[in-house]
Amino acid sequence: MRADVRADIEKLFDRYPEKRGALLPALHLVQQERGFVDLEAAREVASLFDLAPVEVMEVLTFYNMFYTRPQGRHHVYVCTSLPCSLRGSRTLLRELGDHLGVRAGETTSDGRITLGREECLGSCGTAPVLRVDGRYCENLDLAAARSIVDELE
């Protein structure tokens, strides 16, 4: 971890009644620097917080906004909650994966796209839904989803 990131994390400590309260913002800073937070970085963060590395890894693996391995330049997530599933999202996820040559949770060989699934994107009335780099794409079929991912550079 760079010294400036470490210093920014240490500045966070004063903003919380307990040091551990700064853990989520600290992990965001580390991920911003590297694109993901692997075990090595988790160990560094744990030492700053006087925690065991497993405690940091528990947080990293609980929240889907943190990545523990390198990611693609673009994140494409398919909602697989019940309303989206009833409208074909699981099939869409599988077919989109076939189109990209990956499965959910994997990154294309060129590092362009990481494909994933979300349990709920909160857009049930416009199912099925993709979240592409934070932007919602709704009422999709395979042709529309393919067009969206094919336009990503």
Side-chain angles (χ1 to χ4, degrees), residues 3-80:
D4 61 321
V5 174
R6 184 185 224 33
D8 288 345
I9 290 172
E10 290 172 348
K11 287 178 195 172
L12 292 171
F13 296 157
D14 292 336
R15 296 174 59 190
Y16 295 88
E18 293 183 32
K19 188 191 262 190
R20 188 178 185 136
L23 184 57
L24 290 177
L27 291 172
H28 280 292
L29 288 172
V30 173
Q31 184 163 281
Q32 224 172 11
E33 172 197 10
R34 306 179 69 186
F36 62 100
V37 185
D38 61 5
L39 183 56
E40 177 188 329
R43 285 185 178 128
E44 289 182 64
V45 171
S47 71
L48 287 172
F49 282 83
D50 301 318
L51 298 171
V54 70
E55 293 176 282
V56 175
M57 291 305 294
E58 287 170 344
V59 172
L60 289 170
T61 57
F62 177 80
Y63 292 104
N64 66 355
M65 63 210 170
F66 294 117
Y67 309 114
T68 57
R69 59 180 188 242
Q71 298 291 297
R73 292 186 304 279
H74 301 283
H75 297 110
V76 176
Y77 290 93
V78 179
C79 182
T80 57

Side-chain angles (χ1 to χ4, degrees), residues 96-108:
L96 197 54
D98 290 346
H99 176 67
L100 294 169
V102 296
R103 292 182 166 175
E106 296 179 343
T107 301
T108 56

Side-chain angles (χ1 to χ4, degrees), residues 137-149:
C137 304
E138 302 163 313
N139 293 311
L140 296 173
D141 59 16
L142 179 59
R146 278 177 139 176
S147 176
I148 291 165
V149 299

